[in-house]
Amino acid sequence: MQMPYKLIGKQGAEGFQLPPGASLVVGRAIGCDIPVVDQTVSRRHAEITLDAAGVRVRDMGSSNGTFLNGARIASAAISVGDVISFGAMAFRLEQTDSPSPADSALSDEVSTVAAFAAPSTLREMPVDGVGTRFDFDIPAGRPRSEPEDDRDLNARKLATLLEVSKGLTRAVHIDHLLDKVARYVFQIMDVDRVSIMLTEDDGTLVSKVSRDRQGTDAGRAVPQSIARKVVDGRVAIVSDNAPEDGRFGGSSIIAQRVRSAMCAPLIGSEDRVLGVLYVDNLTTTHRFTDGDLEYLIAFAGIAAVSIENSSFAERIRREALVRGNYERYFAPALAARIAESPGAVRLGGTQTVVVVLFSDIRDFTALSAAMAPDDTALQLSEYLSAMVDCVFEQGGMLDKFIGDSVMAQWGAPISGIDDADRAVKAALNMLKELERLNAKWRNEGRPTLQVGIGIDSGKVFAGNIGSERRLEFTVIGDAVNTAARLCAVANGGDILVTSAVRNKLRSPVEVQECPPLALKGTDDRVPVHRITA
């Protein structure tokens, strides 16, 4: 009877029994008899044979070589106590006391060695972020006897990944991108289901896509134990017999009829895991190879870059939309502050107290009828620009232009205890600035203008109205209507305010009492006060 031997891993790797009369292949590939998962080990690295003469090892054209007691070899006999290294993975040959029953059976039927030394059902492969090497190249020193078709296969794989990369860069919105990722996986891999989960800010994984080959919702959950292992360990996983692997969820896998499965992390910049890409097969065990797993890793790397770029582009687009929108209404520094606030672009709004100002040119319609259109546009633009500057200088928001009217407000989305003072000061500055403009226009032979101003304060709705492509931040409520009606009845040079505004003033101003006014749209007379310079 031949003596039984065993390879004992020196780096803490598992030991492998060497049954008598066997010929065993060592490598990273799932089909190898002695699976050694390490990037320095080729997929089919070396062959170990046991016969009457003892144990021999033969290198199979590996990239990083096979070594016996530190010396590189092509083929050699090994003895008990020798250290044999496959790449960076070292093992010591030991002799066991007696053969196991399995060993005896295998000595009678060498063809069943693969079943005895079959690889574990779960395989892991480390995945780096930027710079991950995908071993699609034919290893240096490959024996000429290996089929040249491998080169064609690798070339096709790389060409496909290039096309995938080009296709994914054209998808801008994240939902469209994830849909493309799923469709590409079905086109290039023999799988029955594709699932994509993305990591939320709190670290939870949320399913974004889960569909079968027909494009319908698969309705099956990715095993959380595997998804979390992939994310936390930054490893890709392949199981060639999922029902036998407890870490794949056991009964869940059986209920879902999963036979083989792979899962790879989506790693973005700064080694951040964005989520996982999961595929499975419902019909055949041992469907996926190490080459399939490496291909999935490569695909996941491209998808992760595209997902991250899409997220960046979406965020930039939304921030540009917000800033561009707010810079029309706020001073640039305040617009940037608001744009960076969480939820700034959400539709809807809140109830808040604001101070609303309306300014309107008296009899501008009749005045413009006597002017050339270009002259009207030039003078109105000059006037409105000066009025907006007065609002911005006091930290107010330009809500909108309504013809030759200006609507501004203080208090939304950022309020202050002196909002009423700022609004009144802006109104006074408007009148002062108009005096300067009128003097300039007289010298140019152009008509002068007079404005009336109304200011009220109260609770309003404040928020974004419109769509995500065009949002308008505005305020709606009784205070808006009252300020507009005060403005309508104000004479040229008047600043009319309500009691609500006067009561909020913190700085002293000259105020003249006016008779209560019956404003359009209201039954009650409103107490009104005139601000004098």
Side-chain angles (χ1 to χ4, degrees):
M1 180 184 297
Q2 294 179 350
M3 300 299 296
Y5 296 95
K6 188 174 185 179
L7 286 179
I8 304 297
K10 295 191 67 176
Q11 290 96 339
E14 63 179 308
F16 296 95
Q17 194 78 33
L18 306 181
S23 176
L24 309 175
V25 175
V26 180
R28 282 191 294 115
I30 289 178
C32 290
D33 305 302
I34 300 179
V36 181
V37 182
D38 187 82
Q39 288 296 321
T40 65
V41 178
S42 296
R43 287 195 288 272
R44 293 174 60 83
H45 195 104
E47 181 185 41
I48 296 177
T49 57
L50 289 82
D51 55 27
V55 183
R56 293 191 62 83
V57 61
R58 176 180 69 86
D59 187 82
M60 299 177 69
S62 64
S63 298
N64 296 303
T66 301
F67 300 83
L68 178 59
N69 297 323
R72 187 162 186 166
I73 60 165
S75 178
I78 54 177
S79 303
V80 173
D82 284 345
V83 175
I84 185 73
S85 300
F86 311 104
M89 301 299 291
F91 296 83
R92 185 176 64 256
L93 182 66
E94 292 187 356
Q95 185 174 332
T96 58
D97 294 335
S98 60
S100 66
D103 296 337
S104 300
L106 287 170
S107 64
D108 296 333
E109 189 175 354
V110 175
S111 61
T112 62
V113 164
F116 175 82
S120 60
T121 60
L122 185 75
R123 296 287 306 283
E124 298 176 12
M125 187 174 293
V127 179
D128 298 326
V130 178
T132 298
R133 179 177 69 87
F134 303 111
D135 191 14
F136 288 150
D137 296 329
I138 302 301
R142 185 191 67 171
R144 289 292 181 182
S145 59
E146 289 191 34
E148 288 294 327
D149 288 346
D150 285 353
R151 294 184 185 274
D152 296 336
L153 177 60
N154 289 332
R156 288 197 300 273
K157 284 183 176 181
L158 292 173
T160 302
L161 289 178
L162 179 61
E163 290 303 313
V164 167
S165 178
K166 291 178 181 178
L168 292 182
T169 56
R170 291 192 288 268
V172 178
H173 295 288
I174 189 69
D175 291 341
H176 297 163
L177 176 65
L178 297 180
D179 180 71
K180 267 196 168 185
V181 169
R183 285 190 281 114
Y184 273 128
V185 172
F186 282 124
Q187 289 176 18
I188 64 178
M189 303 191 76
D190 184 13
V191 299
D192 293 325
R193 177 174 64 148
V194 174
S195 293
I196 301 171
M197 302 181 75
L198 296 186
T199 307
E200 298 287 288
D201 292 338
D202 61 359
T204 59
L205 284 167
V206 176
S207 178
K208 297 295 184 180
V209 173
S210 183
R211 65 185 55 165
D212 57 25
R213 184 168 286 278
Q214 285 69 43
T216 57
D217 187 354
R220 299 191 300 272
V222 175
Q224 282 292 316
S225 56
I226 289 300
R228 290 268 33 122
K229 185 174 184 66
V230 168
V231 171
D232 297 339
R234 286 173 167 78
V235 296
I237 290 176
V238 59
S239 175
D240 60 347
N241 194 357
E244 297 299 322
D245 196 311
R247 285 174 288 184
F248 262 95
S251 59
S252 173
I253 286 294
I254 294 173
Q256 297 182 28
R257 297 180 294 111
V258 174
R259 304 297 294 171
S260 304
M262 293 191 294
C263 191
L266 299 165
I267 299 181
S269 61
E270 300 179 355
D271 203 30
R272 188 167 62 95
V273 180
L274 308 178
V276 299
L277 175 60
Y278 170 91
V279 299
D280 61 26
N281 184 277
L282 307 181
T283 57
T284 309
T285 59
H286 303 284
R287 169 59 65 92
F288 301 127
T289 66
D290 258 9
D292 292 328
L293 185 60
E294 287 183 340
Y295 200 44
L296 187 70
I297 293 172
F299 186 95
I302 293 172
V305 171
S306 299
I307 290 170
E308 193 167 55
N309 288 343
S310 178
S311 298
F312 285 156
E314 180 70 9
R315 188 178 72 186
I316 291 171
R317 185 190 70 81
R318 291 170 68 85
E319 288 182 358
L321 172 67
V322 174
R323 292 190 65 163
N325 195 39
Y326 281 133
E327 283 178 359
R328 295 161 53 196
Y329 310 117
F330 294 93
L334 185 57
R337 179 181 168 192
I338 296 170
E340 293 169 359
S341 301
V345 295
R346 285 202 307 262
L347 293 175
T350 59
Q351 293 285 332
T352 188
V353 176
V354 300
V355 180
V356 184
L357 177 152
F358 272 86
S359 169
D360 183 64
I361 300 175
R362 306 292 84 167
D363 300 321
F364 184 73
T365 301
L367 184 66
S368 62
M371 299 171 61
D374 288 348
D375 293 339
T376 302
L378 178 63
Q379 189 164 355
L380 185 59
S381 296
E382 192 173 359
Y383 161 77
L384 292 175
S385 296
M387 298 303 102
V388 170
D389 288 343
C390 292
V391 172
F392 284 177
E393 286 170 3
Q394 295 304 315
M397 171 196 170
L398 173 66
D399 190 290
K400 61 175 65 72
F401 295 127
I402 308 172
D404 58 283
S405 298
V406 175
M407 175 183 169
Q409 60 92 1
W410 285 255
I414 298 175
S415 62
I417 58 174
D418 58 347
D419 284 340
D421 296 89
R422 289 178 176 272
V424 169
K425 189 170 183 179
L428 291 170
N429 289 344
M430 285 177 169
L431 296 183
K432 186 182 298 184
E433 186 65 15
L434 184 58
E435 288 181 6
R436 183 190 67 79
L437 288 173
N438 279 334
K440 172 178 174 291
W441 291 334
R442 287 191 195 97
N443 292 334
E444 297 173 351
R446 299 161 71 184
T448 59
L449 304 178
Q450 293 295 320
V451 300
I453 299 174
I455 306 175
D456 189 22
S457 178
K459 183 175 290 187
V460 299
F461 166 89
N464 293 299
I465 303 297
S467 70
E468 289 192 357
R469 291 192 175 274
R470 181 173 178 82
L471 293 176
E472 296 288 346
F473 188 89
T474 190
V475 293
I476 301 171
D478 288 340
V480 178
N481 300 331
T482 301
R485 289 161 183 159
L486 284 179
C487 178
V489 300
N491 295 319
D494 279 352
I495 301 174
L496 301 183
V497 303
T498 61
S499 296
V501 174
R502 181 180 181 181
N503 295 337
K504 288 177 179 289
L505 293 175
R506 302 167 61 85
S507 300
V509 293
E510 295 183 20
V511 180
Q512 183 182 62
E513 300 293 335
C514 297
L517 295 177
L519 301 179
K520 182 180 179 181
T522 64
D523 296 329
D524 299 330
R525 289 182 173 270
V526 178
V528 177
H529 313 273
R530 179 182 291 109
I531 304 293
T532 59

